[in-house]
Amino acid sequence: MKNLLTVFFLFLAVFTVSAQELKLNDPLPVNTRIKKGVLKNGMTYYIYKTDVVKNVASYYIIQNVGSVLENDDQQGLAHFLEHMAFNGTKNFPGKGVLNTLQKHGAVFAKDINAYTAFDETVYNMDNIPTNVPGLIDTSLLILHDWADGLSLTDAEIDSERGVIKEEWRTRQNGYMRLFKKSLPTMFNNTKYADRMPIGLMSVVDNFKYKALRDFYHDWYRTDLQAIAIVGDIDVAEIEQKIEKLFSPIKAIKNPIERVVITIPGNKEMLYNLGTDKEVATSTLVYAVNHPKSLKNETVADLKESLFNGMVSRMLSSRLREISQKPDSPFVSATASFSSLARANNTFGLMISPKPNMQQQAFKTALAELERAVKFGFTAAEIERTVAVYNNLYQTKISKIDQTAHAEIVNTMQLNYLENKAMTDMAKEYEIVKTIFSQMKAQDLQDFLKSLYTKENRILDVTGVEGENNLSQQEALKLISEVENDSTLTAYADEFVGKTLISGLAIKAGKIVSEKANKEIGSTRFVLSNGVVVDYKFTDIEKNNVLLEASSFGGNSLIKDADLPSASMVSTLARLSGLGDYSATDLSKVLAGKNANARVGIADLEESISGMTTTKDIETLLQMIHLQFVKPRFDLDSFKVLQNNLANTLTQRKNDIGTKMEDSITSTLYGSNNAKKRLFNEQYLNDISFERIKAIYQDRFKNPADFTFFIAGDISKETLKPLLEKYIASLPTTKKKEKWQDNSVSWLNRTNKKEIFMEMEDPKATVRISFKKPYTYSLKNAYVLKAFQDILENRLLETLREQEGGTYGASVYSTLPKRPKQNASFYVYFDCNPDKVEKLVDIVHQEIDKIKNGDIEKEDLNKVLTSYLKDVKEEREYTGYELSVMYDYAIEGYNRNDAKNNVDLINSVTEQDIQNLVKTMMNGAESFEFIFKPKK
């Protein structure tokens, strides 16, 4: 009787869930972990406690102010104001904000940053320590000053004009010019069309100081501001601090209305065609604009959002299937539903046609959209998509405590700016499951019909000069033909569900030895086929497992003539699929699973990397097994690869950046160096399907030559039988390979060259580099990195802040352990052509100063503190444990031992840096390339 009652109540429970009525007008379940409040002055605040990274917090201020609020004579002031937040505040004069935070390891542009968009401006301080006395109060004070305490001095304003002009110059290229031209069409001639956040340089150069101060007073006000604090903090304590610090800020009396601009509808399709000399490939954006609700979200909104994602995903899958056929007229095409503006969304297609195939590409993609509108989606498509969403929710819920700060803040930001619900994910999933249980195929078809309306359509064509670009008349004709095509038939889903290893006979091996490594807390398994697996359990990230298999050899063992083919091994393997399945079918087999694996061949090693969740570890190991015993190389996929590469070659043809890179390569190595080839038609012709296949089989023929590393939330008891079945069963040999030194020298030790190029928007580009043989060690690597970061900070101060000549200079350095131990560093920046000689001289002066021992202790402490911060924070991720095992097994040291990081960092001195730079600059090989516009 007891068993019968149990069965009965289980049945009743299932029936109750499936029959549960959806109350579409109900509000969505609230995430009670997010503390939200509003001060009396109208300022909103959000607080969330999480120790996803221990002892740090992130601080944001969200200003409901963007470029769309500017008057005609204010274009650029919203963005200019963002810059000024880092140039002096009431409590942090000058560079006080940056100097204060950098002392605690924060890095500008990485941890400290901001952005300005059409509708909002957001400032952030990420991963700021919470266990340093007083630093929480300091961080809140910075937010306070950003809200109501910018200095906006005359001198700092004038200093920043040049910086912003150089930011504009750096960002200017053919794609940016075409994007700006498309705005009137995308936004239907509303104010958005004339409010690029960077603004007008005529305004930036000439606005009066009072204009910026007035803009700050008018718009940076408590009713348009929200602060968000996320991290390892006490919520009640933070709330008290917020109330005390921010409540005294007075609300503005009689504020200017913050208008939300709505993009109006249009009866006829809006059209734009743009071409640019620097753009050689086309893009088609065909979309339908829709109004966006800014009201409190309900279950109905969740259902709508779910359906938006489902139809976009299924339609994109069909388009991707077409793109993977050799005769496809487009390289890629996707369907998406996304936000367009504060009060509008957009649904549509983005298509990248092959050269001179815009009309065919548009018609083919449009036909697939129309096919779904007329016939809907198959039961199998829907079932797979539901499985994907179930998996997404389950994974998200299982990792809820690992949610990144930025993702949490994004939820808060959307709540503040667009009234999006901040939901309890587990409770939301229960509603989603009810939606799925009641959903019919017809519901999704009807929903797609509501998205693809006859009105509010736009078509933006990025054309190519000299090509037959898709005209408005052609597009309208093609739309009419497709929508009235009586021969269009329903999509046929021919995939028959099978498992990943269906029909594959696997004879399991054994684990022949198991040894604990007490020094790093890992376990080494030796398998019966000779494969070695290092494993460590860690649940620092719940439900997360990483795998890496690495073997020395790589491109160093490949003939020069085969290097073009070798460069495409990974890409063709991905395009071809795996085992018995094409890439299209593989995605169907893996629907609802979190498992992916990718092969790679680098200069000195080949590898397979993978990631998965705890429940899908077997699927990942099945994929690894197939990568060795049954990789797939499909001739049709190779033809697709050839088409894509030809399109890439066309795309690069007019690209200025590509021309610069090719010029540098040719100068340093010659135009016909077999190991440093230019990506051109001959390179493409030398890529062979048979050679790709042979190279793969050669590089991955012996699993025993690889060391496998597995780290994550997977128990030893679960993993061991899977290793025996899928890894110990792999055929192996006893042959071990070593890398070879095939490095290439520059033709000349010193290379100095000015190169003049035709440009639409004139700018100079500077590339400077030095290299010298230098002994590799962990200590030397830190010394070189410290020099790199000190130099970059100095160039930020001199080239950007003092001279206003560049948006910023980047410095990169390397000290490889193999094949040759050469220390090198590389300086890169764009700048005003009229200032280039002066700026280059400053770069050399700053290097010479460091060489001569002019190094401030405070500057060194800033960069070393950031390294110590990184060492601490990287331990919060699964990837760290993978690196520990790799370094121990391959590089021969224990990353967990302070003597290999913390002690080394603390030991770096100004003298160490001076000695390194002195040695490097004494007889170093070097290059200095300056690219200038032709006059």
Side-chain angles (χ1 to χ4, degrees):
M1 176 64 72
K2 183 178 179 181
N3 289 339
L4 286 174
L5 286 174
T6 301
V7 171
F8 172 76
F9 283 118
L10 282 173
F11 171 80
L12 183 62
V14 172
F15 178 81
T16 302
V17 171
S18 63
Q20 180 181 343
E21 181 184 357
L22 266 182
K23 298 180 180 179
L24 296 177
N25 293 324
D26 279 2
L28 292 173
V30 175
N31 184 349
T32 56
R33 291 179 62 176
I34 298 177
K35 177 68 176 179
K36 179 182 179 182
V38 181
L39 301 177
K40 290 181 180 179
N41 59 14
M43 179 178 284
T44 304
Y45 62 86
Y46 300 86
I47 313 169
Y48 187 96
K49 178 177 176 57
T50 173
D51 62 354
V52 60
V53 181
K54 292 179 176 60
N55 298 317
V56 302
S58 297
Y59 304 81
Y60 283 66
I61 183 164
I62 305 155
Q63 313 274 5
N64 188 6
V65 181
S67 59
V68 78
L69 298 180
E70 298 165 345
N71 298 328
D72 287 344
D73 60 351
Q74 295 177 318
Q75 293 183 60
L77 293 195
H79 174 250
F80 203 108
L81 202 53
E82 172 218 311
H83 276 238
M84 295 307 298
F86 301 98
N87 286 282
T89 70
K90 178 181 178 181
N91 293 288
F92 302 91
K95 297 294 185 275
V97 168
L98 295 180
N99 289 333
T100 299
L101 295 173
Q102 285 172 339
K103 289 177 183 177
H104 299 285
V107 177
F108 182 54
K110 173 191 169 192
D111 304 306
I112 316 159
N113 215 332
Y115 77 86
T116 304
F118 289 110
D119 274 301
E120 78 273 359
T121 306
V122 180
Y123 302 82
N124 65 285
M125 298 175 281
D126 284 324
N127 293 336
I128 308 302
T130 55
N131 56 354
V132 175
L135 192 52
I136 290 177
D137 291 330
T138 299
S139 300
L140 290 172
L141 188 58
I142 291 171
L143 288 184
H144 172 276
D145 278 11
W146 282 344
D148 189 49
L150 297 192
S151 300
L152 302 179
T153 65
D154 294 1
E156 290 289 357
I157 290 172
D158 285 338
S159 176
E160 205 64 21
R161 294 182 199 266
V163 173
I164 289 175
K165 194 164 186 179
E166 292 313 309
E167 180 180 357
W168 171 86
R169 193 190 310 275
T170 293
R171 297 183 189 280
Q172 282 299 104
N173 57 35
Y175 292 102
M176 182 59 75
R177 289 189 290 270
L178 291 176
F179 174 70
K180 188 173 182 180
K181 187 177 186 299
S182 74
L183 295 182
T185 300
M186 302 298 290
F187 293 115
N188 198 4
N189 297 299
T190 55
K191 197 175 180 182
Y192 284 107
D194 298 314
R195 290 299 181 269
M196 285 284 287
I198 194 71
L200 297 178
M201 293 307 101
S202 57
V203 172
V204 168
D205 280 340
N206 300 300
F207 71 82
K208 304 296 183 185
Y209 306 125
K210 184 176 184 298
L212 188 64
R213 293 167 190 147
D214 287 347
F215 190 89
Y216 182 52
H217 175 271
D218 290 342
W219 295 114
Y220 275 46
R221 60 193 204 220
T222 52
D223 62 309
L224 297 179
Q225 293 172 328
I227 56 176
I229 294 90
V230 175
D232 198 355
I233 42 88
D234 181 285
V235 173
E237 179 187 358
I238 293 294
E239 186 172 29
Q240 288 177 355
K241 290 178 181 292
I242 288 171
E243 290 177 350
K244 182 179 179 180
L245 183 61
F246 291 87
S247 292
I249 301 175
K250 293 181 180 180
I252 298 294
K253 295 180 180 180
N254 303 315
I256 301 172
E257 181 184 1
R258 201 302 187 194
V259 177
V260 174
I261 296 173
T262 300
I263 300 169
N266 49 284
K267 295 286 186 182
E268 304 298 325
M269 183 182 76
L270 303 178
Y271 172 86
N272 173 63
L273 168 65
T275 62
D276 191 278
K277 291 180 180 179
E278 294 176 14
V279 176
T281 54
S282 60
T283 305
L284 312 175
V285 176
Y286 179 56
V288 181
N289 291 340
H290 292 271
K292 181 196 299 181
S293 171
L294 298 177
K295 297 178 181 178
N296 290 334
E297 286 195 302
T298 64
V299 172
D301 294 304
L302 174 60
K303 181 179 180 181
E304 181 178 318
S305 175
L306 190 64
F307 281 14
N308 280 327
M310 292 182 71
V311 298
S312 298
R313 180 181 288 272
M314 289 187 287
L315 188 52
S316 292
S317 179
R318 291 186 184 183
L319 293 168
R320 186 166 55 251
E321 187 173 340
I322 294 171
S323 73
Q324 291 170 344
K325 297 176 181 177
D327 59 352
S328 169
F330 49 75
V331 174
S332 66
T334 58
S336 66
F337 183 93
S338 59
S339 177
L340 177 64
R342 176 65 58 83
N344 289 87
N345 290 317
T346 185
F347 167 77
L349 305 174
M350 177 175 284
I351 309 160
S352 298
K354 291 176 180 176
N356 283 304
M357 298 191 76
Q358 292 178 32
Q359 290 77 7
Q360 299 96 311
F362 183 65
K363 184 175 183 179
T364 300
L366 187 61
E368 211 52 48
L369 170 58
E370 185 65 21
R371 191 189 316 279
V373 168
K374 284 185 176 178
F375 302 104
F377 300 96
T378 68
E381 286 179 294
I382 296 171
E383 182 182 353
R384 286 194 297 269
T385 305
V386 167
V388 168
Y389 274 91
N390 280 329
N391 184 62
L392 287 172
Y393 270 101
Q394 291 162 10
T395 303
K396 184 76 174 174
I397 292 167
S398 73
K399 296 184 176 186
I400 202 71
D401 290 329
Q402 273 76 51
T403 307
H405 289 187
E407 187 176 343
I408 297 167
V409 172
N410 185 59
T411 299
M412 298 168 172
Q413 181 174 320
L414 289 173
N415 176 261
Y416 181 65
L417 298 176
E418 299 185 6
N419 212 24
K420 294 286 185 184
M422 300 182 293
T423 61
D424 181 306
M425 190 62 61
K427 292 179 180 178
E428 179 183 314
Y429 183 38
E430 293 304 313
I431 298 172
V432 168
K433 286 190 285 187
T434 302
I435 293 172
F436 284 153
S437 71
Q438 299 178 11
M439 179 181 66
K440 298 179 176 64
Q442 188 64 47
D443 296 337
L444 290 167
Q445 183 181 355
D446 291 343
F447 185 79
L448 180 58
K449 289 179 180 178
S450 73
L451 288 179
Y452 186 51
T453 60
K454 298 288 185 182
E455 298 180 354
N456 305 330
R457 295 179 177 180
I458 65 109
L459 175 62
D460 179 66
V461 178
T462 296
V464 178
E465 291 185 358
E467 279 195 16
N468 180 23
N469 297 308
L470 179 63
S471 69
Q472 184 172 12
Q473 292 72 26
E474 286 176 317
L476 291 171
K477 182 181 178 183
L478 288 172
I479 292 168
S480 178
E481 286 178 5
V482 170
E483 292 181 345
N484 294 287
D485 184 1
S486 59
T487 65
L488 202 64
T489 57
Y491 173 77
D493 190 349
E494 299 175 354
F495 176 75
V496 179
K498 297 178 182 178
T499 67
L500 195 58
I501 55 172
S502 292
L504 190 66
I506 298 176
K507 185 178 180 180
K510 293 290 184 182
I511 295 174
V512 297
S513 75
E514 176 181 331
K515 185 177 181 180
N517 184 329
K518 294 181 180 179
E519 190 173 355
I520 61 173
S522 65
T523 300
R524 169 160 287 194
F525 300 112
V526 178
L527 310 185
S528 52
N529 59 353
V531 171
V532 173
V533 181
D534 286 342
Y535 153 79
K536 184 171 183 181
F537 171 82
T538 174
D539 59 356
I540 191 74
E541 291 183 274
K542 300 285 186 184
N543 201 22
N544 189 47
V545 184
L546 300 179
L547 178 148
E548 182 83 18
S550 183
S551 166
F552 278 127
N555 286 330
S556 75
L557 303 183
I558 293 172
K559 295 177 181 178
D560 289 350
D562 286 338
L563 289 175
S565 298
S567 70
M568 296 299 150
V569 167
S570 178
T571 305
L572 183 59
R574 178 178 53 82
L575 286 174
S576 295
L578 188 61
D580 293 329
Y581 302 106
S582 66
T584 298
D585 286 345
L586 184 62
S587 66
K588 296 174 181 178
V589 173
L590 297 176
K593 297 183 184 297
N594 281 309
N596 65 71
R598 177 167 294 191
V599 301
I601 302 179
D603 286 343
L604 301 180
E605 67 178 12
E606 48 273 337
S607 62
I608 301 179
S609 56
M611 61 187 304
T612 187
T613 52
T614 304
K615 73 177 178 64
D616 292 323
I617 182 66
E618 182 168 11
T619 300
L620 175 62
L621 292 177
Q622 288 174 348
M623 296 177 75
I624 302 300
H625 184 94
L626 290 171
Q627 298 281 18
F628 282 106
V629 303
K630 206 170 184 179
R632 183 182 175 90
F633 294 96
D634 183 81
L635 192 54
D636 278 349
S637 296
F638 179 68
K639 293 176 182 176
V640 170
L641 174 62
Q642 287 179 308
N643 290 334
N644 293 349
L645 291 174
N647 189 69
T648 300
L649 187 60
T650 301
Q651 194 174 37
R652 291 163 56 94
K653 182 175 63 176
N654 295 342
D655 181 72
I656 289 180
T658 297
K659 292 178 180 178
M660 291 180 184
E661 290 296 336
D662 287 351
S663 178
I664 292 173
T665 300
S666 297
T667 302
L668 294 178
Y669 302 104
S671 56
N672 295 307
N673 190 298
K675 289 185 171 62
K676 297 289 183 180
R677 295 185 56 177
L678 301 181
F679 186 83
N680 52 28
E681 287 188 16
Q682 187 57 54
Y683 187 97
L684 265 59
N685 291 336
D686 289 343
I687 297 172
S688 157
F689 175 74
E690 292 300 331
R691 294 310 303 152
I692 290 177
K693 186 175 178 180
I695 291 166
Y696 183 104
Q697 291 169 340
D698 180 62
R699 294 293 83 225
F700 296 92
K701 65 187 175 187
N702 181 23
D705 195 30
F706 288 73
T707 303
F708 286 70
F709 305 96
I710 299 174
D713 189 7
I714 181 74
S715 70
K716 185 189 296 186
E717 292 71 24
T718 301
L719 181 62
K720 287 170 67 175
L722 297 176
L723 290 177
E724 290 182 324
K725 182 173 182 180
Y726 297 111
I727 307 301
S729 59
L730 294 170
T732 61
T733 69
K734 293 184 178 181
K735 184 180 179 182
K736 301 288 184 179
E737 293 181 323
K738 295 181 179 180
W739 56 269
Q740 294 181 2
D741 183 359
N742 284 341
S743 52
V744 187
S745 300
W746 294 347
L747 295 178
N748 301 297
R749 292 184 58 82
T750 303
N751 304 271
K752 193 169 183 178
K753 196 172 184 180
E754 282 191 349
I755 302 162
F756 294 89
M757 307 178 71
E758 291 187 0
M759 303 179 188
E760 288 293 307
D761 291 302
K763 66 180 174 183
T765 296
V766 176
R767 311 281 182 96
I768 300 170
S769 183
F770 295 87
K771 70 174 180 177
K772 180 85 178 288
Y774 204 82
T775 302
Y776 171 86
S777 71
L778 292 174
K779 169 72 178 284
N780 285 344
Y782 277 121
V783 174
L784 179 60
K785 181 168 172 53
F787 162 64
Q788 163 198 294
D789 292 337
I790 289 172
L791 178 60
E792 183 167 292
N793 288 339
R794 285 195 177 190
L795 297 181
L796 177 73
E797 178 64 27
T798 53
L799 303 187
R800 171 175 162 141
E801 301 300 334
Q802 292 178 13
E803 296 295 330
T806 180
Y807 180 49
S810 297
V811 184
Y812 306 97
S813 65
T814 60
L815 178 54
K817 186 176 182 179
R818 56 184 77 88
K820 279 188 169 63
Q821 297 183 11
N822 284 316
S824 66
F825 69 94
Y826 174 84
V827 180
Y828 163 86
F829 60 93
D830 293 333
C831 67
N832 183 338
D834 296 333
K835 291 188 173 185
V836 63
E837 281 78 15
K838 182 178 182 181
L839 300 183
V840 169
D841 285 344
I842 290 173
V843 171
H844 289 292
Q845 289 168 20
E846 292 300 331
I847 295 171
D848 285 340
K849 286 179 183 178
I850 296 173
K851 184 181 73 172
N852 294 326
D854 182 2
I855 304 169
E856 295 290 334
K857 180 69 173 177
E858 183 179 3
D859 292 342
L860 176 58
N861 286 341
K862 284 179 183 177
V863 300
L864 296 183
T865 302
S866 74
Y867 305 159
L868 293 171
K869 181 171 177 283
D870 290 342
V871 167
K872 182 176 76 71
E873 290 176 7
E874 68 184 4
R875 295 171 182 261
E876 304 291 330
Y877 300 96
T878 308
Y880 172 78
E881 297 295 351
L882 205 71
S883 298
V884 169
M885 291 189 291
Y886 181 94
D887 289 339
Y888 193 91
I890 306 299
E891 304 299 350
Y893 73 93
N894 181 2
R895 184 186 280 243
N896 281 330
D897 193 328
K899 72 180 183 183
N900 293 319
N901 41 60
V902 173
D903 293 350
L904 292 180
I905 294 168
N906 287 325
S907 73
V908 175
T909 66
E910 299 95 317
Q911 190 65 53
D912 290 330
I913 296 172
Q914 181 186 4
N915 290 342
L916 178 144
V917 179
K918 265 187 175 180
T919 301
M920 282 195 67
M921 301 305 290
N922 182 16
E925 296 181 75
S926 66
F927 68 69
E928 181 177 298
F929 295 99
I930 301 176
F931 297 90
K932 295 181 176 180
K934 276 186 179 178
K935 295 182 179 179

